[in-house]
Amino acid sequence: MRYKMVWGLKQAGTNFGAIMKMVTDLSGEVANVSSVIKGLADDGQNVAASMSQIDSLMKKSTDETQTVSAATEEQAASMEEINSSSEKLNKMAQELQEAVRQFKL
């Protein structure tokens, strides 16, 4: 009977040792998962910061594009005015040439 008791205690000790090893292994795995999750969180923050920078650059680019577009429209309007004035001057020059022809000797 004493032999069975000693054997039972040894078996319990062996089983307890196996359980402790599993707990230790599991603890290591939990630490690894925790590390991976922290890395993902850091990556997520980096992505968010990059997206914020991209958004800022896009807004600046949009503003600059609108400024260029407005300047282009102003230049087009000025070119139309110049063209109109040029046509008027051309017509006046023709009229002046005709008037000068009348005064030829």
Side-chain angles (χ1 to χ4, degrees):
M1 171 105 175
R2 192 172 166 114
Y3 172 75
K4 284 185 179 183
M5 194 179 213
V6 170
W7 184 82
L9 287 174
K10 283 183 180 181
Q11 190 64 31
T14 300
N15 290 342
F16 185 71
I19 291 171
M20 288 300 295
K21 182 177 180 334
M22 285 183 211
V23 167
T24 302
D25 291 347
L26 184 59
S27 176
E29 290 298 319
V30 167
N32 288 340
V33 169
S34 177
S35 176
V36 169
I37 289 172
K38 184 185 180 313
L40 290 174
D42 291 344
D43 289 346
Q45 288 175 348
N46 290 339
V47 167
S50 294
M51 293 301 288
S52 178
Q53 289 175 342
I54 289 170
D55 183 57
S56 177
L57 290 173
M58 287 176 57
K59 286 178 182 176
K60 182 178 178 183
S61 176
T62 298
D63 291 345
E64 289 174 358
T65 299
Q66 289 174 345
T67 300
V68 169
S69 178
T72 301
E73 287 178 21
E74 287 177 18
Q75 287 178 345
S78 295
M79 292 301 290
E80 287 179 23
E81 288 178 19
I82 290 170
N83 188 36
S84 177
S85 296
S86 176
E87 288 175 5
K88 287 179 185 177
L89 285 173
N90 189 27
K91 185 176 179 183
M92 289 173 71
Q94 288 175 356
E95 290 172 358
L96 184 59
Q97 278 181 340
E98 285 199 29
V100 168
R101 278 189 210 140
Q102 291 177 3
F103 291 106
K104 283 197 175 181
L105 300 171

